[in-house]
Amino acid sequence: MSATGETKAITPPDVAARKGGAPLVCLTAYTTPIAKIVDRHCDVVLVGDSVGMVLHGLPSTLGVTLDMMIMHGQAVRRGLERALMVVDMPFGSYEEGPAQAFRNAARLMAETGCAAVKLEGGEGMAPTIEFLTARGVPVMAHIGLTPQAVNTFGGYRVQGRGEGAERIRRDAAAVSAAGAFSVVLEKVPEELARQITSEIAIPTIGIGASPACDGQILVADDMLGVFTAFKPKFVKRYADLGDAAEAAIAAYADEVRERRFPAAEHVFGDAPKTGERA
Ligand code: KIV
């Protein structure tokens, strides 16, 4: 709370300042109700392009569009008071060069109210990150396993084992030097995550990258057990809401078929009963 009683929203510099401090707690959200819950407990809410697979049933994140990110970004924005909102730049919206990236990042910020964007890529994306940050677009970088490059990698494999480690160390150094305020490290070995976290000036946010990182992020639907198409090793299930939904929907279907729902308490009479809510 500020002196005026307003909740102070977390900013990109606040996140950057958490380097080496209390772990940053980050989760995805795509809808207002989940955003409200995440806002009460987390520092950063990411409107991830994982929305394509999790909510829209796409086979990868490659089919996600800028309009989808804007629509989900607007929904999440309505649920937030405190957490920093970051929106993913979808595949094809930034790779042509800095000018294309700025144009689309500016749309995301103007139309969703997000305070930062996330984009995938290391050394090769550093000039774009520099261009954006110099023009008022805070950037969270994303290196290691970058899901938009799934076809280049040939699958969602661990990155940075053996000789691949050097490349990811260079990526981390490049995005930090380019001005990113934090970097997501996805699916890399613990020792590499520890090394990178000690080497760069900005917070590392791990997903499948060990507790050595400055913070952690998960896809909310994975940890809630709503998205169960597959479960990466790095996901811990904190709830089984998918099972709970299955049971509830099955019970509803049975009750409708057996005419046990609606019951008397769900039915309106000609005149309102005392205390009845419409
Ligand atoms: O799209 C997403 O949800 C992400 C996180 C997994 C980091 O990029």
Side-chain angles (χ1 to χ4, degrees), residues 28 46 48-50 88 118 142 184 207 217 219:
T28 62
L46 172 70
D49 61 353
S50 50
D88 256 342
K118 176 165 82 58
H142 184 158
V184 170
I207 174 163
I217 188 162
V219 170

Side-chain angles (χ1 to χ4, degrees), residues 11-96:
T11 66
D14 293 335
V15 168
R18 292 271 291 274
K19 177 72 188 174
L24 285 156
V25 185
C26 318
L27 263 184
T28 62
Y30 319 123
T31 62
T32 308
I34 294 294
K36 282 185 180 172
I37 301 171
V38 175
D39 190 56
R40 291 197 284 272
H41 301 278
C42 297
D43 303 304
V44 175
V45 175
L46 172 70
V47 186
D49 61 353
S50 50
V51 68
M53 298 172 78
V54 173
L55 286 199
H56 295 266
L58 295 174
S60 74
T61 57
L62 300 183
V64 175
T65 65
L66 203 65
D67 286 340
M68 285 164 78
M69 297 311 299
I70 289 170
M71 189 184 69
H72 288 286
Q74 288 170 342
V76 166
R77 178 71 261 161
R78 291 178 205 117
L80 300 184
E81 289 183 13
R82 177 185 160 274
L84 172 67
M85 174 172 158
V86 181
V87 178
D88 256 342
M89 299 201 69
F91 182 63
S93 72
Y94 60 98
E95 298 89 334
E96 283 172 30

Side-chain angles (χ1 to χ4, degrees), residues 207-254:
I207 174 163
S210 87
C213 297
D214 296 297
Q216 298 295 324
I217 188 162
L218 283 176
V219 170
D221 298 63
D222 283 342
M223 54 86 81
L224 293 173
V226 177
F227 182 72
T228 54
F230 53 87
K231 182 189 155 316
K233 174 183 163 130
F234 57 74
V235 171
K236 176 174 175 182
R237 286 258 162 84
Y238 286 83
D240 286 306
L241 300 193
D243 288 349
E246 176 89 36
I249 291 167
Y252 165 76
D254 285 348

Side-chain angles (χ1 to χ4, degrees), residues 133-190:
T133 53
R135 287 161 180 77
V137 181
V139 177
M140 175 182 279
H142 184 158
I143 62 172
L145 171 63
T146 46
Q148 292 173 11
V150 60
N151 293 309
T152 308
F153 293 139
Y156 296 100
R157 303 178 203 291
V158 175
Q159 298 295 307
R161 283 191 170 136
E163 290 177 1
E166 269 316 298
R167 174 180 60 82
I168 297 182
R169 281 178 69 197
R170 283 200 309 273
D171 285 340
V175 298
S176 176
F181 71 91
S182 59
V183 57
V184 170
L185 263 186
E186 180 161 350
K187 220 168 173 184
V188 300
E190 176 165 18

